[in-house]
Structure formats: structure tokens, C-alpha cells
RNA sequence: GCGGCCUUGGUGUAGUGGUAACACAGCAGAUUGUGGUUCUGCUUUCGCGGGUUCAAUUCCCGCAGGCCGCCCCA
């Protein structure tokens, strides 16, 4: 094979596209049910946008970006996530204001230069939402409910919801200080990553899975204990709303997310049906990002769902919906040049009635054409050979019963209704 | 970025230091214009590059790709 897909990318073939289409249809339905409208932003943005918003010390920015220079030397990057582009687009087009709630959703490919693995690709697809304009915890709850509704709509079960609060610009510094305080003594025994994190981003130490570091991490103070009153209330309110909605969750105070812009609420939904890459969606609140990117101080919440992972679950769990693609209704089996011409003519007419029809383009034998028709799942085959041309009527065969009847060319349309 | 396993026709597999087998799919045929069963035949292959050897698909090294774990995340 001379050419193959670039590492970490995949072709989504006809065999699989029905699942994707179904997935997207369900998502769109749920999104609009909750009042969200779609935005489509460019696949690439200025590198600066991502560096600014996601944070220069995060893995995504530090080592996973598909960055390139265009012909004028501008530094651009294939979007690794969609929150920053949506904020950018919303600001640039005046879609948001402090006085109104704006609900947006997106579906599309994202790019991260990572080592491929099951459930992790370099080009993958996310669907997600971003809501702007309210700092009410009820909105956090709604967003989480919406997220769960997405999975419910697909019949996916066995999910876990993890919840945490990473505080705000007021109380987070206290927490980082607490963490540094806690890790100070043991940091020299911890892994290299943790040591750099200790300097630049102590929060991220909590994310470390290294066995040696675990002990120290487990004893680390939880962020929810150092939250300021406002953040603490916010979390309590959110939990109250979730309770009202009957949503079960687990407080996971090790849940820090890999992007710097989160404030207060962070959450992640995991599936038991997957391997190591078990997070199917994740998100949280980001009250400072809009302002940070040049807008007014407008609070926001959002999340993103990993679509490949959902597809994996659907495939495994056999929830797999029966192929929705409608088969061919009519196959025109033709013989001889005149038959082919007549078939071509009829094909056009039949299709104009909205009936899916197909014909032979290879000059195959009648036997072979019937075989093809059978494989296509055709309900009827209409046979046109020299005899039929002479009589101006073809043979309409019902595949399931093998019954045949003569039908005049001009009456074929009627017969199919 | 690190580690482990893997790479044979379109697909799934077998196998050997002397150029490869099976199943399914595909195509064709079984009195010449009729499908889904059966039978027969045909097409297509040892990821790439080096090395060892008289000879490698089989042994060794490198690369690429895949899978799994770490990391991270969706």
C-alpha cells in the first residue's frame, strides 16, 4: 500500500457512518431541546488563542499542538479543543453579553499530537456546549443534565459522574499554597513531572497516577476545604440542584482538569465499558476566560464529549441501531443497448418520485444483475431486454416472493406506488 | 515522550530456512434471459529497509504502523 492514513487518524467508512449519523442526530435533537444553537468555527486558529486560554504549562499546549506557519509566517494551530474558538467567535461576532444567556453547541474534529491508543487519536471528534452569561449553579446543573441526557438518548448506561470544584481566582491561590505546603517535604521523592508541576502548577500534581507519588497525593488537602464562601455556596447549590434532578455523583477532589481556564465546577463522566481512556466527557465552569480573551467579565460553563469513545461503547454494547439506511426499492436489470437506454430513462423517472432505484453499469448478465439486486436488498427488479423493448413492457419481479408480472413501461411508476 | 505485544491475499486465520495453506467475500460457469442453496473454476498476499545465509515470508537489526499500559485527555 503506497499511501495510508496519517498516524493516529482514521477513515470512518460506510459500515460505520450510520452509527455516527445516529449519534449526531440524537445529539442535535437534545441540544436543541435544551435551547442550544450550533456554531461552526474554523479548524485552525491563531496559536496564541490556545496558548492564552488553555495555559502554556498544560500538556495540550506544551506538547500536543499541531502548530504550523502559513505562507506569511503566521503561527496557526489545528484546534485541540473548541472552547477557546467558540469564545473567540462569540466575542468577535457579538453573540454574548452580561445581560443574556447564550447557548451554543458544536460538533467537529479536534487535533492533538499524542501517542495513539485505543480511545485516543490525533484527529478525534468532540461534541460540546458552551453557555455564557450566568454564574448561577443551576446552569452548571443544567449543563450536566444535558450531558447525561445525551447518553440517555443513546441508551448508554454504566456511567459515573465525578464532580469537583477548583475554586476561583480568589481562593485558588490559597489552595495552591496549601498544596505546596503539603508537598514541600516529600517533593524530592516524587516523580520528575510532579517536581516541575510543584513549581508551575501544583494543582496538576493531583492528577499524577505514579504509584510512588500516590501516598503523598492521597494525604493532600482537598480543594473543597479551602474554597471561599462564594465557591463553597456555588458547589453546595449545584449539589442541591443535582439532587433535585435525581442525579447521582461522586465528589472527586482529585479531579483537576488539564486546562487552566476552569474555575469552580469541574466534572467528568466516565464509562466502565472502555479501557484506560475511559472519560467520555468532561467540562466545567470558566468564569474568567471571556474577559481574559478580551471581552467583558462574562461567566460561562461548558463540556465536551468524545465521540469516538461513544461510538466504541455503542459498538460494544450492541445497542447498535439497526441500519437506518434505506435499501434500494427498485433495481433495473437491463440487457442490450436499447434495454440499457430505456432503463436509464426509467431510472431517472423513478428517482424523481423519491423512490430509491439503481441499475447495472457493467453490462453484467441477467443472473449477475439479479445477484447484485439481491445484495442491495432491492424489493423489486424490473427486467428490460430485447423482448420487453419490443412489447414496450418489462417484467416486474418481487424479490421476496419471486412473483413476476408484465408491466408496461409507462405504467411502472403506478405499479410502484 | 517511555515500556510491552503484534504486522501473512479484500477480511479473518494457518504455516515453513528452499518463494505459502484454509475459510469467507469477489468474479465466472453448471444447455446459452432470472437472485438468495449447492458444485466447479479464477483473481489477489508474506508492512518497509538493511543484515546473516547457497537460499528468508520464516533468524537478527532498524523504521513505519497497529494494539495495550504509563502519561494525558475526549
Amino acid at each position: 500500500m503506497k499511501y495510508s492514513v496519517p498516524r493516529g487518524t482514521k477513515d470512518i467508512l460506510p459500515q460505520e457512518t450510520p452509527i455516527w449519523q445516529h449519534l449526531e442526530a440524537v445529539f442535535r435533537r437534545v441540544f436543541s431541546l435544551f435551547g442550544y444553537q450550533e456554531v461552526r468555527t474554523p479548524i485552525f486558529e491563531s496559536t496564541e488563542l490556545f496558548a492564552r486560554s488553555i495555559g502554556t504549562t498544560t500538556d495540550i499546549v506544551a506538547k500536543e499542538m499541531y502548530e504550523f506557519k502559513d505562507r506569511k509566517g503566521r503561527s496557526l494551530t489545528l484546534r485541540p479543543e473548541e472552547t477557546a474558538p467558540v469564545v473567540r467567535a462569540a466575542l468577535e461576532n457579538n453573540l454574548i453579553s452580561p445581560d443574556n444567556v447564550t447557548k451554543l453547541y458544536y460538533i467537529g474534529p479536534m487535533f492533538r499530537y499524542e501517542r495513539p491508543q485505543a480511545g485516543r487519536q490525533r484527529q478525534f471528534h468532540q461534541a460540546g456546549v458552551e453557555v455564557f452569561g450566568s454564574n448561577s449553579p443551576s446552569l452548571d446543573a443544567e449543563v450536566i443534565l444535558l450531558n447525561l441526557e445525551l447518553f440517555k438518548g443513546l441508551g448508554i448506561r454504566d456511567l459515573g459522574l465525578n464532580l469537583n470544584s477548583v475554586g476561583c481566582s480568589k481562593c485558588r491561590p490559597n489552595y495552591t499554597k496549601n498544596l505546596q505546603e503539603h508537598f514541600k517535604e516529600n517533593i524530592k521523592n516524587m516523580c520528575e513531572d510532579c517536581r516541575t508541576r510543584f513549581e508551575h502548577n501544583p494543582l496538576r500534581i493531583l492528577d499524577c497516577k505514579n504509584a510512588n507519588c500516590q501516598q503523598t497525593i492521597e494525604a493532600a488537602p482537598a480543594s473543597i476545604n479551602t474554597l471561599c464562601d462564594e465557591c463553597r455556596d456555588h458547589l453546595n447549590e449545584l449539589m442541591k440542584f443535582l439532587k433535585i434532578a435525581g442525579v447521582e455523583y461522586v465528589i472527586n477532589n482529585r479531579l483537576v482538569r488539564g486546562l487552566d481556564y476552569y474555575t469552580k465546577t469541574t466534572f467528568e463522566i466516565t464509562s466502565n465499558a472502555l479501557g484506560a481512556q475511559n472519560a467520555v466527557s468532561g467540562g466545567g465552569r470558566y468564569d474568567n476566560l471571556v474577559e481574559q480573551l478580551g471581552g467583558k467579565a462574562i461567566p460561562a460553563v461548558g463540556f465536551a464529549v468524545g465521540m469516538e469513545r461513544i461510538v466504541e461503547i455503542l459498538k460494544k454494547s450492541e445497542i447498535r441501531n439497526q441500519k437506518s439506511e434505506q435499501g434500494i426499492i427498485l433495481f433495473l436489470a437491463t440487457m442490450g443497448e436499447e434495454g440499457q437506454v430505456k432503463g436509464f430513462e426509467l431510472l431517472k423517472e423513478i428517482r424523481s418520485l423519491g423512490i430509491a432505484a439503481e441499475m447495472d453499469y457493467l453490462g453484467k448478465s441477467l443472473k449477475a444483475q439479479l445477484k447484485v439486486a439481491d445484495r442491495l436488498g432491492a424489493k423489486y427488479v424490473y427486467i428490460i431486454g430485447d423482448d420487453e423493448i419490443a412489447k414496450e413492457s418489462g417484467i416486474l419481479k418481487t424479490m421476496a416472493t419471486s412473483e413476476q408480472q408484465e408491466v408496461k413501461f409507462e405504467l411502472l411508476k403506478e405499479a410502484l406506488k
Side-chain angles (χ1 to χ4, degrees):
Chain A
M1 201 63 59
K2 195 160 183 184
Y3 297 105
S4 53
V5 286
R7 180 158 210 212
T9 65
K10 270 182 181 159
D11 296 314
I12 300 172
L13 303 172
Q15 198 185 6
E16 231 182 45
T17 42
I19 301 183
W20 283 83
Q21 288 167 354
H22 175 245
L23 189 71
E24 287 163 16
V26 170
F27 278 17
R28 286 179 199 283
R29 197 190 71 223
V30 176
F31 285 149
S32 67
L33 180 69
F34 279 72
Y36 287 75
Q37 290 182 300
E38 184 180 10
V39 281
R40 302 191 187 192
T41 69
I43 294 295
F44 55 85
E45 297 273 355
S46 83
T47 300
E48 184 75 11
L49 174 67
F50 298 117
R52 271 269 171 78
S53 57
I54 300 170
T56 48
T57 62
T58 59
D59 278 12
I60 293 178
V61 172
K63 45 190 190 190
E64 297 173 5
M65 294 212 299
Y66 268 98
E67 183 184 350
F68 62 96
K69 295 251 194 298
D70 72 4
R71 286 169 185 270
K72 285 278 177 151
R74 288 173 280 243
S75 178
L76 301 170
T77 293
L78 260 33
R79 60 187 194 192
E81 59 106 39
E82 187 61 354
T83 299
V86 169
V87 171
R88 193 228 80 227
L91 283 175
E92 193 170 342
N93 299 285
N94 266 313
L95 300 181
I96 54 179
S97 80
D99 310 317
N100 290 294
V101 168
T102 306
K103 297 177 164 187
L104 301 171
Y105 83 85
Y106 59 84
I107 296 178
M110 306 294 156
F111 307 83
R112 290 181 201 172
Y113 192 93
E114 291 190 88
R115 183 89 178 247
Q117 181 182 329
R120 185 214 267 165
Q121 293 167 213
R122 291 184 173 180
Q123 173 174 343
F124 59 102
H125 298 78
Q126 288 188 330
V129 304
E130 314 293 349
V131 200
F132 303 92
S134 166
N135 52 25
S136 166
S138 64
L139 196 58
D140 302 42
E142 185 197 274
V143 161
I144 291 172
L145 283 177
L146 161 56
N147 195 340
L148 292 169
E149 196 59 33
L150 252 26
F151 300 134
K152 211 165 152 195
L154 291 166
I156 295 176
R157 281 158 214 294
D158 277 336
L159 297 172
L161 169 61
N162 280 277
L163 198 65
N164 193 22
S165 174
V166 295
C168 63
S169 49
K170 273 175 282 175
C171 55
R172 180 125 50 136
N174 294 333
Y175 182 51
T176 17
K177 204 163 33 166
N178 276 5
L179 281 178
Q180 273 172 324
E181 203 61 33
H182 171 80
F183 288 117
K184 201 167 59 185
E185 288 186 18
N186 270 322
I187 193 66
K188 48 186 178 299
N189 301 323
M190 296 175 76
C191 74
E192 209 183 304
D193 280 345
C194 283
R195 271 177 276 158
T196 35
R197 286 167 181 154
F198 181 76
E199 297 297 330
H200 301 108
N201 204 343
L203 263 187
R204 308 280 312 290
I205 296 179
L206 300 179
D207 239 2
C208 186
K209 306 289 191 305
N210 193 306
N212 287 331
C213 305
Q214 276 315 304
Q215 222 178 354
T216 326
I217 291 172
E218 271 165 39
S223 62
I224 45 175
N225 295 330
T226 53
L227 295 178
C228 60
D229 290 349
E230 185 191 326
C231 289
R232 162 147 287 286
D233 288 349
H234 188 92
L235 180 61
N236 285 335
E237 286 289 299
L238 168 58
M239 292 193 290
K240 201 177 80 190
F241 280 113
L242 289 178
K243 197 175 175 193
I244 290 171
V247 173
E248 284 180 35
Y249 58 86
V250 174
I251 291 290
N252 177 353
N253 41 45
R254 299 290 170 261
L255 179 65
V256 174
R257 313 222 67 239
L259 304 87
D260 284 354
Y261 51 64
Y262 286 116
T263 56
K264 294 180 180 163
T265 313
T266 57
F267 70 93
E268 188 169 286
I269 296 175
T270 55
S271 163
N272 298 327
L274 298 173
Q277 308 304 326
N278 65 350
V280 292
S281 89
R285 182 166 272 284
Y286 47 98
D287 289 342
N288 304 326
L289 186 59
V290 176
E291 186 174 19
Q292 198 187 321
L293 292 181
K296 292 178 184 162
I298 297 174
V301 212
F303 69 79
V305 175
M307 301 182 67
E308 274 80 3
R309 292 181 187 175
I310 303 298
V311 168
E312 272 319 294
I313 296 174
L314 290 178
K315 285 205 252 175
K316 275 184 191 158
S317 60
E318 299 289 337
I319 298 172
R320 191 184 322 187
N321 330 77
Q322 45 305 17
K323 52 215 119 161
S324 53
E325 2 106 46
Q326 61 187 76
I328 292 299
I329 304 287
L330 176 75
F331 188 91
L332 287 155
T334 67
M335 281 160 293
E337 209 170 303
E338 284 180 76
Q340 201 203 2
V341 170
K342 190 68 201 172
F344 186 79
E345 189 188 328
L346 288 171
L347 182 63
K348 180 180 171 251
E349 288 177 31
I350 300 303
R351 283 179 176 158
S352 72
L353 295 177
I355 294 171
E358 192 53 275
M359 72 181 287
D360 170 63
Y361 302 101
L362 296 170
K364 288 191 178 190
S365 66
L366 177 60
K367 182 191 180 80
Q369 290 189 55
L370 278 163
K371 207 169 170 181
V372 171
D374 187 53
R375 201 163 47 221
L376 292 176
K379 207 168 163 195
Y380 306 104
V381 171
Y382 191 58
I383 301 168
I384 310 165
D386 292 342
D387 298 350
E388 288 72 26
I389 290 289
K391 283 191 282 184
E392 297 210 329
S393 71
I395 297 166
L396 185 64
K397 172 165 185 162
T398 305
M399 293 299 271
T401 59
S402 292
E403 282 175 90
Q404 300 191 162
Q405 63 179 116
E406 233 178 77
V407 176
K408 285 275 182 196
F409 289 159
E410 65 266 28
L411 296 178
L412 179 60
K413 288 200 269 185
E414 295 303 314
L416 291 173
K417 277 180 185 167

